Amino acid sequence: PPPVTTRKWSLPMQKKAYLSIISAAALWGCIGVFLRLLTAAGLDSMESVAVRSTVAAILYFFWLLFTDRAAVRVRLQDLWCFVGTGIFSVLFFNWCYFNAISLSALSVAAVLLYTSPVFVMLLSALCFQEPITPRKIGALLLTFCGCVLVAGLFPAGVGSISAAAVLFGLGSGFGYALYSIFSKLALKRYSPSTITFYTFLFSALGSLPLSRLWEDASLLLDPRAILGGLGIGVLCCILPYLLYTEGLRWAEPGKAAILATVEPFVAALIGIFAFHEAVTPYKLLGMAAIFGAILILNRRP
């Protein structure tokens, strides 16, 4: 259902919606934990993408089979939209994100992923003729400065982190942004449930042949792979999408987007406290700059 203005509902309903959105963002921020389990079991980045997409597609299909069978029906001529959301967005962004985590700290990869609002701004101007305002340009510059600080390029210099890690991190942000573009087109005809399922399905169909997961099928029997696959597919994919969509029923999209920025902070906190990743004043300042840019982009004029 379309978002409903929160002023028509009681305060407890608003709080429930906000808690749902924050919970979804927090679950997305936990993806690095389960990714490390898959990596420990011997799976590489692309195989981990395949596991996440395949688990999510299969389980979400059975969910819709019992709750909303109509959501599985689509027209063949519209499948290109789901190729966009599933392959050009989710598959590409996950591959970049997982590689960024492997090549750098979890907190760095998570914050670089959140350069996506900048790419959304530029792509929306190109595809939907949305104006680029001084406010948006300011947010773009603030995000760039934040990325430089978080990536450790200042004051340590470019030698502190590999160029590949930065490129993979920015690539994940670009791929993440493509989902907004393709899904905006798909929403003209289909529900969020339909888009979500076919996004998972096409991501799985694209990632399986690229990863050649069947060659390492024996690795999937590892308890770490089973736990990591279920966690990354259910807790970090299906469940947060359901929670976020439910929250959007009662919360304004702009407020929901701001609340969802809990994700990189959760990822950063997990990286610092669970994996003992280094934290510096420059990294904290960079995270604050990117968070500020996201607030500016989502703030009403």
Side-chain angles (χ1 to χ4, degrees), residues 131-268:
I132 297 180
T133 63
R135 180 168 61 96
K136 292 180 180 180
I137 295 176
L140 176 62
L141 295 175
L142 191 59
T143 302
F144 176 77
C145 294
C147 288
V148 170
L149 291 171
V150 169
L153 302 181
F154 180 86
V158 295
S160 60
I161 187 173
S162 68
V166 176
L167 290 175
F168 276 124
L170 294 176
S172 68
F174 177 73
Y176 195 67
L178 287 178
Y179 184 84
S180 297
I181 304 301
F182 285 109
S183 62
K184 184 174 182 178
L185 297 171
L187 279 170
K188 295 179 180 179
R189 186 178 298 273
Y190 298 105
S191 69
S193 294
T194 301
I195 297 171
T196 300
F197 167 66
Y198 278 98
T199 295
F200 295 157
L201 178 61
F202 276 94
S203 178
L205 294 176
S207 59
L208 283 172
L210 289 176
S211 66
R212 304 180 68 86
L213 183 61
W214 58 86
E215 295 181 354
D216 290 327
S218 60
L219 298 178
L220 300 178
L221 300 178
D222 189 310
R224 293 170 296 183
I226 295 173
L227 180 60
L230 290 175
I232 207 169
V234 178
L235 294 180
C236 298
C237 199
I238 296 176
L239 186 56
Y241 271 105
L242 293 176
L243 286 170
Y244 190 79
T245 303
E246 179 64 23
L248 280 176
R249 294 179 62 184
W250 318 112
E252 296 176 358
K255 291 182 179 179
I258 294 174
L259 291 171
T261 56
V262 169
E263 178 184 353
F265 288 92
V266 171

Side-chain angles (χ1 to χ4, degrees), residues 105-129:
L106 174 60
S107 55
V108 173
V111 178
L112 287 175
L113 170 65
Y114 264 77
T115 58
S116 58
V118 177
F119 293 113
V120 171
M121 176 189 71
L122 298 176
L123 291 172
S124 296
L126 180 64
C127 299
F128 306 116
Q129 289 75 50

Side-chain angles (χ1 to χ4, degrees), residues 272 277-281 283-284:
I272 292 169
E277 295 178 355
V279 55
T280 66
K283 181 180 292 187
L284 293 176

